[in-house]
Amino acid sequence: MEHQMEYKFSSVVDPSTYETHGLCDGIPLRCHHQPELEEIEAFRCQEDWRRWVGPLGFYKGGLGPRWNFIAITVPECRPDRLAILGYANELAFLHDGEQEMLVIPLGTVTDTGIIIDITDIVPIGDAHNDDLKATFEQLARTGDVQAATSGKRAIQARIAREMLALHKEQATVTMRSWAKFAELGSGRHHDTHFRTEAEYIQNRMFDIGTMYWYGVVTFGMAISIPDEEVEIAHELANVAYLNLGLTNDLYSYQKEHETAMSLGQDFVVNLIWVLMEEHGITEAEAKDLCRAKIKQTILDFRHIVRETNARADLSGETKRYLEGLLYSLSGNLVWSIDCPRYHTWSSYNTQQLDWMKNGIPGEDGKPSGCGYASGQHSSSKHAERTDNLASGVPSPPASDEAPPDVSEDCRSSMKPDHSGLVNIFAAKGIKDLAALNIRGDPSIRLTNGHGQPNGFHPDDQKTDVEPGLDTQIIQAPCDYLHSLPSKNVREKAIEAINIWLQVPPEKLASIKLITQLLHNASLMLDDLEDGSPLRRGHPATHSIFGAGQTVNAANYQILRALQEVQALGGAEDVAIYAGELERLYVGQSLDLHWTSNLICPSIEQYLEMIEYKTGGLFRLFGRLMIAHSTTSIDLDVAALWNSLGRYYQARDDYQNLVSPVYEEQKGYCEDLDEGKYSLPLIHLLQTTAHEPLVRNLLTQRRVHGASNASHKQTLLALMEESGSLAFTADFLAELRGKVEAELAKLEGWTGLRNDPLRGLLRMLVV
C-alpha cells in the first residue's frame, strides 16, 4: 500500500489547476492549509538579510504567484513549524543564490553602509560553507551561538532558537543535518566542471540535497527516526533525492546557464550541460533524456514506498518520512514549472510585490518598513537612492543599524505570527472581528489554499473616500473572498497575451486590478443570487457577512474598478468598461431567468449567454490591453476569448458533476442544487425519453430550495444513460480545438509562439 499517513494539515489540489508536464504520474499535489505562515516569514527573512547582510540584487526565492515552496513540498508540516521552516528555507535559497546576488554593479551600498568592492564579486567559496557548518554545529551542541556579530550568524541563531523551543531533540537532529549539508555541498561544487553523469550525480545531487531536506521534512512533520534506521532511511530515499535534483536541473538550467556565462565560466554545473558534453547531444535532446530519468525515478520511488509500508521491520516514523517525500516530489515539480526563481516570464502576485516593495504589514496594519522602498530604515546620507522595480533591480533601504545580537529582545522582535484569521485581519488594522459581522463558522481563516492571493490586495489602490470614513468594513467581504484558493486563470491569461501586446507595466498592473475587482464582485453576487453555500471549499461570502453587506461590498468593487479605468486615461477605456459590464449583467440576467422560471434554453442560446457572462471579463481585459499596447501589431483577440469563455464554462459544468475535487470544494453536484441549466442538463432535457421525470425533479428542487442526494443521483444516472456526460466531454474537446486554432492563428499573425498561453490551456485540460 502506497499511502498510510493521516493527513491533517493539507488537501489534495485539483489536478486540472496545475501543470506537471507528465513527469509525476501517480503522486497528487497537496497544499498546506495555511501557506500564508510561510509567505510572511520568507519575506521577514529577506528583510533581515537586507538589514544585516546586504542587498538582494536579482534574487528570487521560494515564493511564487501560486505556490510557496514549503507549503507544497512539505504539505503535512505542522502549522506551528511552517513559519520558521519558511524562514529557514528562504535563508537556504539566499545562501544558494548568493553567487547571483553578487553580480551587481561595483560601488553599490549595502543596507549596513558597506561599499561593494571587486573583492566581493566572487563565487561562493569554502569559507562561507565552513562558517555555515560551524555555526549549525555550535547551535546543535549549545542551542546558541557565541559572537554573533555577523548578520548570517544572527539569522541562523534566530532559526535555531525558534526550532529548539518547539522540539529540542528534533531540532538538534535538523541542525546536525544542516551542518552536514554545509560540509558536503551548499555551493562547494559551483566551480567544478563535471565530465560525466555518474560523477555529477554522486557529488552534486545525493550528497548535497539529502541532509538538508532530511532535516526539513523530519522537523516539519515532527518525525523522529530511530538511530538504527537512519542509514536505511537515507538509502531508501536516494531515488527521491535523485528526482529532486533532476527536476531542479531541468527547470533551472536557463537561469544557471545565464549565471555561469555572466561569471565567465565555459561550463554549467547542471546535468543538462553534462549530458550535452558527455553524449554530444543538443540541449533539447539532453532535456528529453532528463525527463525520461525523472519519470523513471517517480516509478522507482513509488515502488520503494509501497514495499517499505509493507515491511514489519521498520518503524512508522521511517515510513512517514518516505511517504512525506512522495509529496516533496510532486510539490517540487509543480513549483519548479512556474516559479519566478527559474523563469523570467513568471512574476510574483500583486500582494507579494507590494510586500517586497513596502514590507510586510505590522500589527498596526502599516508596512513594517523593511521592504525595498521603505524609508523606515534609510539614513539621510542615502536618502537619495530610489527603486527601479520595473528593471528588477530595486535599491535596498539604507540602514545604520548594526547586525543584531542574539539577545532575547532580538528574538522576541522577530517572533512569527501563527494565529490564522485573527492576526491576518489584525495585520490590516482590523482588531475586532465582531465589527465585521462575521456570522458563520468561527474557525474560518483568511488564507489561500494555493499559497497565493488572487492577484491583488484590496488596499493596493487609494480611493476618493474622505479620510474620516473607515473602509475596512466594506472591504471585509472582498478581503475574505480574495484569500480563498484560485486558479488565477485571468491573471495568467493577461500575462500570456502581453507577450504579443507589450502593455507598459503600470498600465498592465491597473488592468489586472480592474479584472480582479470585477471578478471578485461577480463571484460574490453570483454566489448570493445562485444560493451557493460554498466557494472554493469555503463558506460563500454572503453566508458569513449577510446578503446586504455582500451586495454593498460587490458594488463598491465595481465602483473602484471604474475609478481604475478612468485613471487609465482614455475615453475609449470607459466605453469598453461600460459595454462589457453591460453584457455581463445581461448574461447573468438570462441565466437567472431560465433557472427561476424553469425555462430550458437551447444549446446555442446557452453558449451565447456564456459569451456575455463568462467571456465578458476576458474580452474586457483583452480590449483594454489592445488599447494600451505599445506594439504595432493589429491584433483581434475577441474570437480567442469567446472560444475560451465557452470552453471555461462548459468545463466547469462538466467538472461540477464528475470531479471529486469540485465536490470537496463546492458540494456534491452543486449545479443541480442551484437548478441552473448547465450543458449536460440541457442535453439531457433535449434528448431523453424521461423528460417528465427530469422536469419534476427540477420542480421539486425549486419547491424545497435544493435537490436531495437521491434526486441528484437519479439525475446523474440519467445523464450517464442518455449520453449527456459523454456529449459534454466530446463538446469540450471540440471547444478546446477551437481555442487552439484561434491561438495558432494569432501566433502566425504575430510571428510569436505563446508558450504561457499554451501552458494555461494545458492547465485547463479535463
Side-chain angles (χ1 to χ4, degrees):
M1 183 177 179
E2 192 168 323
H3 305 295
Q4 289 189 344
M5 282 192 342
E6 179 184 3
Y7 299 100
K8 299 179 180 179
F9 311 121
S10 66
S11 299
V12 173
V13 180
D14 181 354
S16 68
T17 65
Y18 60 87
E19 180 60 78
T20 66
H21 294 167
L23 299 180
C24 201
D25 291 344
I27 307 178
L29 178 70
R30 300 190 72 93
C31 187
H32 200 280
H33 291 151
Q34 294 180 277
E36 75 280 355
L37 297 178
E38 174 190 359
E39 188 165 55
I40 290 171
E41 288 305 297
F43 281 122
R44 201 181 306 278
C45 183
Q46 293 179 23
E47 292 173 355
D48 290 346
W49 182 282
R50 288 192 201 96
R51 282 186 286 179
W52 305 329
V53 182
L56 295 184
F58 293 97
Y59 169 76
K60 302 285 184 67
L63 303 178
R66 299 185 66 207
W67 316 106
N68 299 332
F69 187 73
I70 298 293
I72 59 172
T73 54
V74 195
E76 279 299 297
C77 181
R78 287 177 50 142
D80 60 339
R81 303 184 182 195
L82 180 58
I84 192 59
L85 279 183
Y87 187 100
N89 191 67
E90 197 67 15
L91 175 62
F93 276 130
L94 282 160
H95 183 77
D96 182 61
E98 197 167 7
Q99 180 169 334
E100 302 157 45
M101 287 188 281
L102 290 175
V103 185
I104 55 179
L106 302 184
T108 297
V109 184
T110 70
D111 295 352
T112 54
I114 299 172
I115 307 297
I116 296 296
D117 197 324
I118 187 66
T119 56
D120 296 308
I121 313 300
V122 294
I124 298 173
D126 289 349
H128 286 281
N129 297 304
D130 290 342
D131 185 62
L132 190 71
K133 172 179 177 287
T135 306
F136 277 126
E137 285 178 339
Q138 187 179 90
L139 289 165
R141 287 194 311 272
T142 68
D144 209 338
V145 57
Q146 284 75 48
T149 54
S150 83
K152 290 182 189 175
R153 284 197 167 205
I155 292 174
Q156 287 174 261
R158 176 259 162 103
I159 293 168
R161 284 173 165 178
E162 294 288 347
M163 293 173 64
L164 289 164
L166 290 165
H167 196 290
K168 182 176 180 180
E169 291 76 16
Q170 290 169 354
T172 300
V173 169
T174 295
M175 295 296 113
R176 289 173 179 158
S177 297
W178 289 353
K180 193 69 172 176
F181 160 67
E183 176 186 347
L184 294 173
S186 186
R188 291 186 187 271
H189 299 286
H190 277 193
D191 57 353
T192 302
H193 190 165
F194 293 105
R195 302 292 182 176
T196 67
E197 177 187 351
E199 178 190 18
Y200 176 82
I201 287 176
Q202 177 62 36
N203 290 282
R204 177 79 173 140
M205 291 185 179
F206 289 154
D207 290 343
I208 293 177
T210 302
M211 298 312 298
Y212 173 70
W213 202 243
Y214 176 80
V216 170
V217 174
T218 54
F219 183 78
M221 295 176 62
I223 293 171
S224 297
I225 295 178
D227 291 343
E228 64 273 14
E229 294 183 17
V230 171
E231 289 305 316
I232 299 173
H234 286 324
E235 182 178 347
L236 292 170
N238 269 345
V239 174
Y241 288 104
L242 175 58
N243 173 278
L244 293 172
L246 291 169
T247 301
N248 174 276
D249 280 18
L250 178 64
Y251 290 100
S252 68
Y253 177 73
Q254 188 63 37
K255 176 183 79 80
E256 291 178 356
H257 182 275
E258 292 171 358
T259 300
M261 297 304 105
S262 69
L263 291 171
Q265 290 182 182
D266 59 355
F267 63 91
V268 184
V269 186
N270 184 290
L271 182 63
I272 304 302
W273 184 274
V274 175
L275 292 173
M276 290 166 63
E277 283 199 329
E278 183 179 9
H279 302 293
I281 57 180
T282 66
E283 178 183 323
E285 290 170 331
K287 288 183 175 180
D288 284 342
L289 184 54
C290 184
R291 292 186 186 98
K293 293 176 183 295
I294 290 172
K295 290 181 180 181
Q296 187 59 52
T297 56
I298 290 291
L299 294 174
D300 292 345
F301 190 61
R302 289 183 61 199
H303 178 70
I304 288 170
V305 172
R306 284 194 297 269
E307 285 194 335
T308 303
N309 281 340
R311 290 175 61 170
D313 62 327
L314 292 178
S315 67
E317 296 293 86
T318 295
K319 295 175 182 179
R320 277 211 304 139
Y321 167 62
L322 294 175
E323 191 167 334
L325 283 180
L326 278 174
Y327 298 102
S328 293
L329 306 190
S330 57
N332 180 58
L333 173 66
V334 171
W335 179 82
S336 297
I337 284 173
D338 64 2
C339 66
R341 183 173 176 81
Y342 296 161
H343 308 289
T344 56
W345 51 260
S346 180
S347 174
Y348 295 101
N349 59 56
T350 305
Q351 178 168 283
Q352 290 168 340
L353 291 171
D354 177 67
W355 286 359
M356 288 176 187
K357 181 178 180 181
N358 299 313
I360 54 178
E363 292 184 359
D364 59 357
K366 298 178 180 179
S368 65
C370 302
Y372 291 145
S374 167
Q376 296 290 323
H377 297 280
S378 61
S379 61
S380 58
K381 63 181 177 181
H382 299 134
E384 69 275 8
R385 291 182 301 152
T386 59
D387 286 341
N388 185 4
L389 292 177
S391 68
V393 193
S395 303
S399 174
D400 293 327
E401 49 182 317
D405 193 3
V406 286
S407 63
E408 185 61 31
D409 290 341
C410 177
R411 179 185 173 201
S412 62
S413 70
M414 296 187 289
K415 187 174 182 180
D417 181 356
H418 299 283
S419 51
L421 174 67
V422 174
N423 281 330
I424 294 294
F425 267 117
K428 293 182 59 58
I430 303 174
K431 307 243 187 265
D432 183 8
L433 291 184
L436 298 178
N437 190 29
I438 294 181
R439 309 184 290 135
D441 182 355
S443 69
I444 292 170
R445 52 180 175 74
L446 187 65
T447 185
N448 187 313
H450 288 283
Q452 40 78 42
N454 292 349
F456 84 103
H457 195 282
D459 287 341
D460 282 344
Q461 305 292 324
K462 295 179 179 179
T463 68
D464 294 329
V465 176
E466 291 296 325
L469 296 179
D470 190 351
T471 61
Q472 65 187 30
I473 299 299
I474 197 169
Q475 281 291 157
C478 192
D479 283 349
Y480 168 73
L481 179 63
H482 110 274
S483 74
L484 303 182
S486 171
K487 303 181 189 74
N488 273 346
V489 169
R490 290 157 187 84
E491 184 169 351
K492 286 180 178 293
I494 290 172
E495 292 169 352
I497 65 167
N498 199 46
I499 288 177
W500 294 325
L501 298 174
Q502 295 297 300
V503 177
E506 68 279 4
K507 300 286 187 183
L508 191 69
S510 292
I511 292 170
K512 285 182 179 180
L513 179 59
I514 291 162
T515 305
Q516 192 63 68
L517 287 166
L518 288 179
H519 181 51
N520 279 356
S522 70
L523 292 182
M524 287 190 281
L525 293 174
D526 278 358
D527 287 344
L528 174 61
E529 292 165 350
D530 295 338
S532 301
L534 295 175
R535 167 61 60 180
R536 302 167 184 163
H538 297 263
T541 311
H542 64 274
S543 71
I544 297 174
F545 296 91
Q549 196 69 278
T550 299
V551 170
N552 196 49
N555 288 338
Y556 181 59
Q557 304 313 308
I558 295 170
L559 173 63
R560 291 189 58 215
L562 175 59
Q563 292 172 332
E564 284 296 316
V565 171
Q566 291 172 325
L568 282 174
E572 180 186 0
D573 298 323
V574 176
I576 291 171
Y577 178 83
E580 293 300 344
L581 202 60
E582 179 184 14
R583 287 188 178 193
L584 194 151
Y585 275 111
V586 170
Q588 176 73 343
S589 73
L590 289 172
D591 200 8
L592 293 170
H593 174 71
W594 295 335
T595 300
S596 298
N597 295 283
L598 294 177
I599 298 172
C600 179
S602 67
I603 290 178
E604 191 54 42
Q605 288 174 321
Y606 175 75
L607 293 175
E608 289 177 1
M609 181 273 293
I610 288 175
E611 283 192 9
Y612 270 58
K613 178 182 172 181
T614 311
L617 284 181
F618 288 104
R619 280 192 310 276
L620 172 63
F621 67 67
R623 293 175 65 189
L624 289 175
M625 290 177 71
I626 289 171
H628 294 278
S629 172
T630 59
T631 68
S632 59
I633 300 172
D634 184 14
L635 202 63
D636 183 1
V637 295
L640 174 66
W641 293 144
N642 287 339
S643 297
L644 184 59
R646 288 186 173 197
Y647 176 78
Y648 193 78
Q649 185 60 57
R651 175 187 177 277
D652 189 79
D653 290 352
Y654 183 72
Q655 293 286 79
N656 193 283
L657 299 176
V658 303
S659 169
V661 176
Y662 264 55
E663 181 178 341
E664 180 181 337
Q665 293 181 345
K666 304 192 73 173
Y668 175 58
C669 297
E670 184 224 15
D671 280 352
L672 298 180
D673 274 330
E674 294 178 8
K676 67 192 304 181
Y677 287 93
S678 63
L679 190 59
L681 185 58
I682 295 170
H683 181 271
L684 176 64
L685 282 164
Q686 292 181 349
T687 59
T688 183
H690 303 291
E691 181 185 356
L693 172 60
V694 175
R695 290 197 176 278
N696 275 279
L697 287 170
L698 295 176
T699 300
Q700 289 303 310
R701 184 219 66 82
R702 182 176 180 183
V703 170
H704 297 289
S707 295
N708 61 43
S710 62
H711 285 184
K712 287 191 279 190
Q713 289 166 1
T714 300
L715 285 169
L716 207 57
L718 290 172
M719 289 179 185
E720 193 79 57
E721 175 189 324
S722 66
S724 297
L725 293 178
F727 164 80
T728 305
D730 291 342
F731 194 74
L732 275 174
E734 181 183 338
L735 287 174
R736 179 180 172 80
K738 290 181 179 179
V739 175
E740 290 174 342
E742 290 297 332
L743 172 55
K745 186 187 301 181
L746 291 170
E747 287 177 330
W749 181 256
T750 61
L752 292 173
R753 178 180 169 86
N754 199 317
D755 286 324
L757 195 50
R758 289 184 175 276
L760 177 61
L761 291 181
R762 287 195 298 271
M763 186 184 81
L764 296 176
V765 171
V766 175

